[in-house]
Structures are given as structure tokens and as C-alpha cells.
């Protein structure tokens, strides 16, 4: 969409009525409060291949009766709040044909998306009709390469718990491909909730042409030039609520609200992560004749976090700004207004917003943790949070003490929020404590550091032998569904002083499935990052994004199925000042995926053509493993050798799986027998989604 804006003009104001005490007609408040969003991931609830199982709201699951909050809950334009397809049948879809069939039907439906659905052609936007709920089944509901369109007069639509992604066509400021995640032209009464929308071709959400009575809540919006644009007419009629959204790594329209009569933004988290290629140009923008209330939101690292036109009115209350620069504006001559005259809502504390949204925004494996308040306001419950501060101002002084406090076999997310500082300790999250997030609470991943200096050849303090490579780790994550975010993990073992022992020194070890490492720095020399599964016959998937990994010898290694996405891999000189090393050393089990480096950068202050991209590790001479590394769409510095793969332990790398695809930079090279390149067809089967399978990484 063009960023140009037409001259504003005052339009007629719609009439509102306050929201009724009950959340939806015919549904008692007690029912909605008890289980408004209770939602199971077992497709047996519907029948694995069922088309229609529930025929009326009275027999639909409780989550299917969910209704919106904010302006989407207001009775207006002949519509009594927003409840989607509650009054229709519940259907489960796994194909594009079925999704389109039910979404475009004239009758109401609750449509459960229970698979990854690829749009054909790329950029397709399904034309959703009124009275629909489209909801993902756990984290399985994914729309790839396209999205949804709500046209003039379409109303009473709920889009929830979906991942909508990857329509990107390679042009950052794409004006040719209008491939949005969700586009609305003249719709009303729409609720967009708990989605992950990212990496589209034009924008993530477009609310255009007087779309009104819209609530956008608890979404993750990321990896995009234009996040959320609102407006595209001179009329000042739209009423919109935007709350509890995590908007990160986007450049503009965060959102941009043009000629909105009542724009209520609260408890949002806008984050521009330092050190990445994406830089914000502005954050929340009140344009034209917009009248905006902006409350209890957190802004980290943004340029021009809050901007308004001279003709707009913008009232700020309770917002927090960390590391921001440029414009931070408020004021204007418009009439003051109070959102509570239209609907009830509860503000979370601004200081809690980053942690709350990192753990609660986006699709959920279950929406059962969401509750309804006595006022009828729907909000997501925060994860349990334990605070760590070395100075004693937290609940615990060490990270390990907080880990020890997590109950065994916990079933819900526990966030260990670590205050800025250096924590010299060894941390181990045992296998019986899943759903643990260790997260730095500072504005930068550099603010919080966990560091230790064990090495494989060092003798344990109890004399029971040496640590061995895994035992040397500073941080070990052995539990499924666990995460490390926004901090630095370092192994500072000094090789120069200990050449007499085995000097593998791991900074971070993962030995579990569905592990997220996001916004972290992992520092070491040899064997910096070890990624394994719990056992050779088990899957161990790891997703790393927006991170930095440093080292020199085999410093990204193991048998896990690992994706390193949008990250920087930094090559270091050896302890004696020489430049030589290997980036990866996969020991992948046969029939599994290995290490995928995608959309990243590999460079460092080392000698040209001195590093291999990888070598094939067959632990103990194991002939059954089939090591794999794929490096694609990545910038390679001059340090990478023109023959980038190497043999290891007497095994030829050519007998294993090593390849590149469309890499750039001084270290990239043409296809040859010593430098295999994927064909386009092969590359289509080596995407991030192929590595992760049925798992969509999220903060929940």
C-alpha cells in the first residue's frame, strides 16, 4: 500500500451502545467466565477427519462460544458484539479447498484449521464472509503464502490462534505484491486474536476503508516492513481497540492509524532488537484526524516510538520507553474521550508487559489458560514468573535456585525473569521440568550474562572423573518446550592456560525437543553450542532466531534437528591467534533433519578462506548416522573456504548430506563437486517448516 495519505475530512460519527453485561446473547456470563476459551488440541474432540460434528452453539465446545472485547464487543450497525460462527456448525479443515469452502459460505461456521495449508497461488487471500470463526487447532493451524480478505460489509468474524506466514517475495518495501496476512476493506465487528503473523509481502494486517468495531489482541507481529496499517479514507468514523500485541522487528506502521475516530491502544509491546538488519522508522503513529488513547505500553529500542500529525489528538498515559530515540509526541486539540464509556477493560502494569507478551502472545497449544473477568472482559492469564536478581531484589539470587523452585512435571509455562547482571554459575534445567523460559529482563541481550568456565577435560570437584563435553556446559536445557531469551550465555574457559586437557567447552547445551533460543548471544571457542536429543532414537528440535553464536572449532554441533534463522554466526581466532576452524559438526541420525542455517550471516575478524562451513561427525565411528548441514539464503564472509566441507574421523563428507542454496557474499561460490548446491525443487523441501514439522515455535 502507498504510504501517502489523503487530506482528512470530518465524517459522520457512528452511534454506539454500551456492551451488555453478558458476553453473548443467550450465553450466561457464568458459562463464559468458567470456560470461555477452554480449548483442546486433541482432534478427537471433533473426529480426526470430521467435516461437521457440532450443529449448534449449545453443543459446540466452550471455546467456540468466545466473544470479543474492546470495540468489537460494542453493539452497533445492527450487530450485537462479535461472536463469529458461534451459531453455526463446527467443521475441521486440513486442505485449502475445505478452508475456502467454509470461509466463503453464506451460513455461519466455526472452522478449525488442523494442518498447514499452503495458498495456491502464492498471495491468495480467501474472501471470508460474515459470521465465521476461523481458529487454529493448537499450534497446528498454519496458513502459508497468503491470508484472508474481509470485504465491504463483512461482519462478525473471528480469526484466532493461527500462524499466517511467508508470502514474502524478496522485496522489503514491496509495492507490487499486495499479499497481506489479513486485509479488511469496509468490514465491521472483527476480532483478530492470538495469531502469529509474519514475513508477508506487503503488510501483516491492513484495516482499510472505514473498517470499524475492530479488536486486535494478543498477536505476535514480526519480520515485516509494514506491520499494521489503518485508514485509507478521509472519513473519521472507525473505532478500533489494539491491546496486548507484541510487535517486533518491523519497520513501520506499528500501527499507523489514519483518520480513526477512536483508537484505543493499551498494553502493547513494541520491540526493535539491537544488532539486526531491521530498524524501526517509527512506532505508534496517530495520523490525519485520529483521536488516540495510548496506555501502559512498553517501547524498547524504537526510533520515533510515538508520532502524531499536527491534526491528530494523542493522549499518553503510563507508557514506558527503554533505549528509544527520536520523536515521542502527544497532544492535540481533539475532544477527550474515555474508552470505558464504550466497554470495560483492565490495564496490566506496564512493567509486566514485555514478560506477559513474550509468554502469552501468539498461538497457544491450548487456550484454556484464558479467563473472563467479572466485568466480561476477556484476557489471557500470565505465565508464572519467578524473578532472579544477584543483588537480592528478586525472589532468588541465582538462576539455578529459581530452576530448583519450579515444580516437577509442571504443565504450564514458568518464566524465570533474570535481572541485568553477571551470574557466574552453572545452570541445569532437568528433563522433568518442561515449559521453562529463562529470560533476561533488560533492554538488551547483553544486559544479563550467565557465565562459567568448565571444560571437558577438567576434573569434577567431587573427583568422580572429568566433565566430558556435555557436562562442561554453562547452561543445560534438558526439558521439552523450554526456552532461553534475551540474554548472553558464555563459557570463558581459557584454552591458552590449559592445553594439557581436552578443551571442548560448551556454553549452551540443549537435549530435548521443541527448544526456542531467541534473542540470545552464545559465546565460546570450541564446541560453543551443543544441540542433542534426549536419546539417539528421539527427536530433538531447536529453533534459534535473532541471535549471535561465536566460536571456532565445531562450535555448532550435535544430532538435534536445529534451525538457525535470522542470526549472526561470528568466527573467532584460536587461542594462539591462528585462524582455522569449522562452523558445524552435525551427527544427525539417519532419516532425520540436521542443522539448517537460514537467512543468516557468517563472518568474523579472521583470515580469509580459513574456515569450513562444517564437517561430518560420526561419534565413536558410528556408521549409522547421516550428518546433515544445509546453509541457504545466507551471507558468507570471506573467511569461508571455496571448498567449504571437510572430512572427519575417516568418513568422507560426500557420503553424508551437505549443501548450500542461494548464498551470497565473498565466501559464496558456484556449484561444483566440492560445493553442492540445492536445486529449486530440492530447496522447496528444505525449508524451516520441513525441519520443524508439526511444531510452530512460540513464546507460550
Amino acid at each position: 500500500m502507498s504510504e501517502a495519505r489523503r487530506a482528512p475530512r470530518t465524517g459522520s460519527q457512528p452511534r454506539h451502545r454500551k456492551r451488555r453485561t453478558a458476553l453473548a446473547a443467550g450465553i450466561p456470563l457464568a458459562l463464559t467466565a468458567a470456560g470461555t476459551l477452554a480449548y483442546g488440541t486433541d482432534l478427537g474432540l471433533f473426529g480426526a477427519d470430521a467435516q461437521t460434528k457440532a450443529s449448534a452453539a449449545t453443543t459446540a465446545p466452550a471455546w467456540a462460544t468466545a466473544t470479543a472485547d474492546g470495540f468489537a464487543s460494542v453493539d452497533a450497525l445492527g450487530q450485537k458484539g462479535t461472536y463469529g460462527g458461534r451459531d453455526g456448525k463446527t467443521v475441521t479443515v486440513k486442505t485449502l479447498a475445505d478452508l475456502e469452502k467454509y470461509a466463503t459460505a453464506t451460513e455461519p461456521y466455526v472452522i478449525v484449521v488442523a494442518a498447514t495449508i499452503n495458498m495456491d497461488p502464492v498471495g491468495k487471500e480467501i474472501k471470508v464472509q460474515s459470521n465465521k470463526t476461523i481458529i487454529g487447532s493448537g499450534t497446528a493451524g498454519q496458513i502459508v503464502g497468503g491470508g484472508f480478505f474481509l470485504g465491504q460489509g463483512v461482519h462478525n468474524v473471528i480469526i484466532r490462534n493461527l500462524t499466517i506466514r511467508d508470502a514474502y517475495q524478496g522485496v522489503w518495501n514491496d509495492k507490487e505484491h499486495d499479499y497481506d496476512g489479513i486485509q479488511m476493506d469496509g468490514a465491521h465487528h472483527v476480532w483478530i486474536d492470538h495469531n502469529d503473523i509474519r514475513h508477508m509481502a506487503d503488510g501483516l494486517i491492513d484495516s482499510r476503508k472505514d473498517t470499524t468495531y475492530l479488536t486486535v489482541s494478543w498477536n505476535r507481529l514480526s519480520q515485516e516492513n509494514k506491520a499494521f496499517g489503518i485508514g485509507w479514507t478521509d472519513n473519521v468514523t472507525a473505532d478500533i481497540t489494539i491491546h496486548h500485541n507484541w510487535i517486533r522487528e518491523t519497520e513501520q506502521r506499528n500501527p499507523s492509524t489514519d483518520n480513526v475516530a477512536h483508537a484505543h491502544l493499551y498494553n502493547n509491546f513494541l520491540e526493535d532488537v539491537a544488532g539486526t538488519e531491521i530498524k524501526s522508522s517509527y512506532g505508534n503513529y496517530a495520523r490525519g484526524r485520529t483521536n488516540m488513547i495510548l496506555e501502559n505500553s512498553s517501547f524498547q529500542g524504537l526510533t520515533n516510538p510515538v508520532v502524531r500529525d499536527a491534526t491528530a489528538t494523542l493522549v499518553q498515559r503510563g507508557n514506558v520507553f527503554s533505549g528509544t530515540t527520536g520523536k515521542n509526541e502527544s497532544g492535540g486539540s481533539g475532544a477527550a474521550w474515555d474508552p470505558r464509556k464504550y466497554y470495560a477493560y483492565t490495564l496490566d502494569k506496564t512493567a509486566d508487559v514485555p514478560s506477559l507478551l513474550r509468554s502469552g502472545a501468539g498461538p497457544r497449544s491450548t487456550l484454556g489458560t484464558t479467563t473472563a473477568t467479572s466485568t466480561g472482559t476477556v484476557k489471557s492469564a500470565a505465565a508464572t514468573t519467578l524473578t532472579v536478581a544477584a543483588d537480592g531484589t528478586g525472589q532468588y539470587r541465582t538462576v539455578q535456585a529459581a530452576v530448583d523452585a519450579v515444580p516437577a512435571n509442571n504443565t504450564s509455562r514458568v518464566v524465570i525473569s533474570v535481572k541485568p547482571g553477571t551470574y557466574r554459575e552453572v545452570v541445569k534445567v532437568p528433563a522433568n521440568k518442561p515449559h521453562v523460559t529463562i529470560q533476561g529482563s533488560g533492554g538488551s541481550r547483553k544486559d544479563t550474562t550467565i557465565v562459567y568456565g568448565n571444560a571437558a577435560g577438567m576434573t569434577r570437584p567431587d573427583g568422580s572423573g572429568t566433565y566430558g563435553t556435555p557436562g562442561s556446559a554453562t547452561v543445560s536445557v534438558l526439558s521439552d518446550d523450554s526456552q532461553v531469551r534475551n540474554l548472553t550465555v558464555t563459557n570463558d574457559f581459557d584454552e591458552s592456560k590449559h592445553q594439557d586437557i581436552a578443551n571442548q567447552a560448551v556454553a549452551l547445551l540443549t537435549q530435548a525437543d521443541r527448544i526456542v533460543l531467541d534473542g540470545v548471544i552464545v559465546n565460546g571457542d570450541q564446541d560453543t553450542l551443543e544441540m542433542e536429543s534426549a536419546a539417539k532414537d528421539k527427536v530433538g528440535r531447536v529453533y534459534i532466531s535473532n541471535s549471535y553464536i561465536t566460536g571456532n572449532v565445531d562450535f555448532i554441533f550435535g544430532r538435534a534437528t536445529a534451525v538457525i534463522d535470522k542470526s549472526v554466526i561470528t568466527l573467532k581466532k584460536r587461542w594462539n591467534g591462528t585462524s582455522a576452524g569449522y562452523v558445524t559438526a552435525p551427527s544427525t541420525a539417519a532419516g532425520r533433519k540436521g542443522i539448517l542455517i537460514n537467512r543468516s550471516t557468517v563472518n568474523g575478524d579472521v583470515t580469509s578462506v580459513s574456515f569450513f562451513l562444517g564437517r561430518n561427525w560420526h561419534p565413536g565411528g558410528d556408521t549409522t548416522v547421516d550428518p546433515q548441514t544445509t546453509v541457504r539464503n545466507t551471507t558468507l564472509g570471506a573467511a569461508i573456504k571455496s571448498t567449504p566441507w571437510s572430512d572427519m574421523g575417516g568418513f568422507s563428507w560426500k557420503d553424508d548430506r551437505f549443501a548450500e542454496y542461494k548464498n551470497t557474499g565473498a565466501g559464496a561460490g558456484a556449484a561444483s563437486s566440492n560445493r553442492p548446491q540445492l536445486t529449486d525443487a530440492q530447496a522447496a523441501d528444505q525449508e524451516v517448516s520441513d525441519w520443524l514439522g508439526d511444531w510452530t515455535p512460540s513464546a507460550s
Side-chain angles (χ1 to χ4, degrees):
M1 304 300 163
S2 171
E3 189 69 3
R5 175 174 52 79
R6 299 172 183 83
R9 183 189 65 199
T10 302
S12 60
Q13 300 296 321
R15 296 180 180 178
H16 310 283
R17 284 191 291 171
K18 267 189 167 183
R19 184 174 177 175
R20 292 158 291 117
T21 303
L23 287 177
I27 300 178
L29 180 60
L31 172 62
T32 56
T36 298
L37 303 180
Y39 175 51
T41 60
D42 184 357
L43 293 181
L45 181 66
F46 312 108
D49 297 306
Q51 291 298 313
T52 58
K53 296 296 287 186
S55 60
T58 55
T59 58
W63 55 262
T65 65
T67 61
D69 60 1
F71 270 117
S73 71
V74 172
D75 296 351
L77 301 179
Q79 177 64 34
K80 296 182 179 298
T82 302
Y83 49 84
R86 181 195 67 197
D87 295 332
K89 296 177 181 178
T90 297
V91 297
T92 299
V93 301
K94 296 183 178 180
T95 67
L96 174 58
D98 282 343
L99 174 60
E100 190 164 19
K101 170 185 174 182
Y102 292 110
T104 60
T106 56
E107 58 265 48
Y109 280 107
V110 175
I111 304 165
V112 182
V113 181
T116 296
I117 294 177
N118 293 285
M119 290 299 190
D120 186 14
V122 171
K124 181 183 184 69
E125 293 179 2
I126 292 176
K127 295 181 179 179
V128 180
Q129 296 303 305
S130 300
N131 305 312
K132 302 293 185 297
T133 295
I134 305 174
I135 188 166
S137 175
T139 57
Q142 300 194 40
I143 309 299
V144 180
F148 299 101
F149 176 82
L150 282 62
Q152 184 67 42
V154 170
H155 59 278
N156 192 30
V157 173
I158 297 173
I159 299 175
R160 305 187 71 210
N161 217 57
L162 292 169
T163 296
I164 304 172
R165 60 178 175 88
D166 294 333
Y168 185 65
Q169 297 297 296
V171 178
W172 181 242
N173 190 12
D174 197 334
K175 297 181 181 298
E176 179 179 350
H177 302 98
D178 186 11
Y179 300 165
D180 299 322
I182 301 173
Q183 181 173 313
M184 297 161 284
D185 282 2
H188 66 92
H189 287 90
V190 180
W191 185 26
I192 300 170
D193 178 71
H194 272 295
N195 300 290
D196 179 353
I197 311 177
R198 52 185 157 90
H199 208 228
M200 302 300 285
D202 179 53
L204 301 178
I205 301 175
D206 270 358
S207 176
R208 316 186 320 165
K209 300 181 180 178
D210 306 321
T211 292
T212 189
Y213 301 107
L214 168 68
T215 297
V216 178
S217 58
W218 294 98
N219 300 285
R220 287 203 311 271
L221 306 178
S222 64
Q223 303 172 38
E224 189 69 20
N225 181 11
K226 305 166 187 172
F228 183 2
I230 304 168
W232 284 269
T233 78
D234 300 334
N235 303 321
V236 188
T237 58
D239 291 345
I240 296 174
T241 304
I242 302 165
H243 73 87
H244 290 94
N245 298 283
W246 183 13
I247 305 174
R248 67 189 304 271
E249 294 303 88
T250 57
E251 185 172 328
Q252 57 180 311
R253 300 184 186 172
N254 295 305
S256 168
T257 54
D258 193 4
N259 292 325
V260 175
H262 299 101
H264 185 202
L265 282 63
Y266 70 91
N267 282 147
N268 296 297
F269 177 32
L270 277 67
E271 181 182 27
D272 188 340
V273 179
T276 68
E277 293 181 357
I278 300 175
K279 297 297 296 180
S280 60
S281 58
Y282 61 85
N284 293 164
Y285 188 179
R287 302 175 65 183
R289 299 285 297 278
T290 290
N291 195 325
M292 178 186 292
I293 305 293
L294 174 58
E295 302 182 281
N296 285 34
S297 291
S298 177
F299 299 79
Q300 291 189 10
L302 266 77
T303 303
N304 302 317
V306 183
V307 183
R308 77 172 183 94
D309 285 350
T311 51
T313 297
L314 196 159
V315 175
Q316 288 202 45
R317 293 193 287 256
N319 303 304
V320 171
F321 302 86
S322 174
T324 60
T325 59
K327 295 180 179 180
N328 186 352
E329 300 176 329
S330 59
S333 59
W337 67 284
D338 180 2
R340 287 186 173 86
K341 291 184 178 180
Y342 302 103
Y343 52 83
Y345 70 101
T346 301
L347 289 169
D348 285 304
K349 295 179 180 178
T350 313
D352 295 340
V353 165
S355 176
L356 185 64
L357 295 188
R358 285 189 174 112
S359 63
R364 314 300 297 271
S365 57
T366 171
L367 290 180
T369 56
T370 309
T371 58
T373 69
S374 59
T375 62
T377 301
V378 178
K379 63 177 291 183
S380 292
T384 299
T385 299
L386 307 177
T387 58
V388 177
D391 62 3
T393 58
Q395 295 168 276
Y396 305 93
R397 287 183 177 271
T398 68
V399 179
Q400 188 61 51
V403 172
D404 293 343
V406 177
N409 303 310
N410 52 298
T411 59
S412 59
R413 176 77 39 200
V414 177
V415 176
I416 297 174
S417 180
V418 188
K419 291 187 177 182
T422 298
Y423 297 80
R424 191 162 192 89
E425 59 175 307
V426 173
V427 177
K428 183 176 181 178
V429 183
N432 66 347
K433 295 187 178 184
H435 311 293
V436 169
T437 296
I438 301 175
Q439 178 173 294
S441 65
S444 166
R445 71 197 93 195
K446 297 179 180 179
D447 292 347
T448 303
T449 298
I450 305 172
V451 57
Y452 214 76
N454 288 334
M458 292 174 64
T459 301
R460 294 177 182 271
D462 61 4
S464 60
T466 58
Y467 283 106
T469 300
S472 70
T474 300
V475 174
S476 300
V477 180
L478 311 182
S479 62
D480 292 345
D481 297 296
S482 289
Q483 308 182 359
V484 181
R485 294 178 176 274
N486 195 43
L487 51 74
T488 297
V489 179
T490 295
N491 189 315
D492 64 353
F493 171 73
D494 189 345
E495 291 185 54
S496 66
K497 296 180 180 178
H498 297 283
Q499 282 297 294
D500 56 326
I501 63 174
N503 51 27
Q504 295 89 346
V506 177
L508 179 57
L509 165 70
T510 71
Q511 197 169 316
D513 191 28
R514 300 182 299 275
I515 302 298
V516 173
L517 309 178
D518 180 63
V520 298
I521 300 171
V522 188
N523 275 328
D525 289 307
Q526 182 169 347
D527 290 12
T528 303
L529 176 60
E530 180 176 5
M531 296 177 287
E532 307 287 357
S533 59
K536 187 177 177 180
D537 62 345
K538 293 183 179 296
V539 174
R541 288 167 292 181
V542 183
Y543 180 70
I544 306 168
S545 61
N546 305 303
S547 295
Y548 292 79
I549 307 164
T550 68
N552 45 46
V553 176
D554 302 337
F555 64 98
I556 301 171
F557 73 107
R559 66 171 172 246
T561 295
V563 174
I564 300 170
D565 197 19
K566 304 183 293 330
S567 295
V568 177
I569 297 169
T570 301
L571 312 174
K572 295 173 63 176
K573 292 182 179 180
R574 303 292 301 278
W575 63 274
N576 58 4
T578 59
S579 296
Y582 310 85
V583 177
T584 67
S587 56
T588 320
R592 295 229 173 90
K593 299 288 189 183
I595 297 171
L596 173 64
I597 299 173
N598 182 59
R599 297 183 294 179
S600 295
T601 298
V602 182
N603 60 20
D605 186 16
V606 294
T607 304
S608 295
V609 295
S610 59
F611 272 74
F612 291 95
L613 284 175
R615 57 179 176 172
N616 53 337
W617 182 30
H618 289 248
D622 189 345
T623 59
T624 67
V625 300
D626 190 13
Q628 180 183 30
T629 296
T630 296
V631 182
R632 59 175 297 164
N633 304 107
T634 288
T635 302
L636 304 179
I640 301 303
K641 291 176 175 286
S642 58
T643 55
W645 309 108
S646 178
D647 299 340
M648 186 178 186
F651 292 88
S652 171
W653 69 266
K654 292 185 178 181
D655 294 331
D656 294 310
R657 297 174 290 168
F658 295 89
E660 298 176 77
Y661 181 69
K662 290 189 176 180
N663 294 321
T664 58
S672 71
S673 60
N674 289 316
R675 191 154 200 171
Q677 305 283 331
L678 301 176
T679 65
D680 289 345
Q682 290 170 330
D685 292 327
Q686 295 201 31
E687 303 275 4
V688 172
S689 59
D690 298 304
W691 251 250
L692 301 184
D694 62 357
W695 173 48
T696 301
S698 74
S700 59

